[in-house]
Amino acid sequence: MSAPSPASTPAPVAATSVPSAVSGAPRTPTQADLLAFVRRTAADAELIASLPLDPEGRTWVRLEGPGGSEAWLIGWPPGTGTGWHDHAESVGAFLTASGELKENSLAARLPADGWKTLELTEEIDRQRKLPAGTGRGFGRHHVHEVLNESTEEHAISVHAYYPPLPQIRRYSRTGQILRLEHVERPEDWQ
């Protein structure tokens, strides 16, 4: 999940809680735990149907994720996307609940800090179609963009991150040049 960018601020909706499947003493959720959570949550047809959809901007509901993780239910109007970003030190997972999303990602770990511009190699790009019921987990510093390329259909997805997002770094990309544009903190999207 990515927090909204200033150019495409979605309409927020009220927070909702989804019980965690982790019982007993809390433990640090793994990528597998987060993927299992988003899969279970996406299967909740009533929850998915409750998300208000806006024809122009993304909408979202914050959920209670497993083991203290941060989770979101996100609605994607046709033709919307996140832009290139990462989730800093958080691991995560997301799954398309309805519609289809596309993920473009980089198959390399980038330096965490100390750079503004990087030249990427030709073999670094990955693309993945994520139809309803399809998801994936990812590690720290995973750089990607998520898109709803449909011209007619909304998509809805579920996202979870642990630890809760400390920041999101936003990038611009021109060809093989990736530039760090700005850093968002939780107060920017709450």
Side-chain angles (χ1 to χ4, degrees):
M1 192 289 300
S2 149
S5 67
S8 64
T9 302
V13 294
T16 300
S17 291
V18 172
S20 169
V22 177
S23 59
R27 66 177 181 86
T28 301
T30 65
Q31 285 180 45
D33 295 331
L34 297 174
L35 189 55
F37 169 81
V38 298
R39 184 166 281 116
R40 282 190 313 276
T41 303
D44 183 340
E46 187 176 329
L47 176 65
I48 301 307
S50 75
L51 180 65
L53 300 176
D54 183 308
E56 296 180 17
R58 287 185 293 148
T59 54
W60 70 88
V61 174
R62 188 169 187 157
L63 307 172
E64 182 181 328
S69 63
E70 179 173 352
W72 299 88
L73 177 63
I74 301 176
W76 305 77
T80 58
T82 61
W84 287 95
H85 66 282
D86 72 16
H87 305 98
E89 295 295 325
S90 297
V91 298
F94 71 101
L95 185 130
T96 306
S98 69
E100 180 175 274
L101 294 172
K102 177 183 176 185
E103 180 193 34
N104 295 319
S105 63
L106 302 180
R109 183 178 171 134
L110 302 181
D113 294 308
W115 64 277
K116 290 288 276 176
T117 304
L118 289 176
E119 185 171 351
L120 305 172
T121 63
E122 293 292 328
E123 303 81 33
I124 200 167
D125 288 302
R126 300 294 181 266
Q127 292 185 353
R128 175 179 283 126
K129 295 280 188 178
L130 299 160
T134 307
R136 68 168 310 226
F138 55 85
R140 292 168 168 72
H141 305 287
H142 176 70
V143 177
H144 69 164
E145 68 174 347
V146 180
L147 310 160
N148 178 4
E149 294 185 316
S150 173
T151 59
E152 300 174 5
E153 186 179 356
H154 266 79
I156 298 175
S157 57
V158 182
H159 304 248
Y161 310 96
Y162 189 86
L165 296 171
Q167 65 183 15
I168 291 178
R169 289 179 286 243
R170 297 225 173 250
Y171 305 99
S172 63
R173 183 163 180 195
T174 305
Q176 295 306 109
I177 304 297
L178 187 70
R179 287 183 180 83
L180 176 63
E181 295 294 337
H182 67 278
V183 178
E184 295 176 2
R185 306 221 180 274
E187 57 271 16
D188 296 329
W189 64 80
Q190 297 294 332

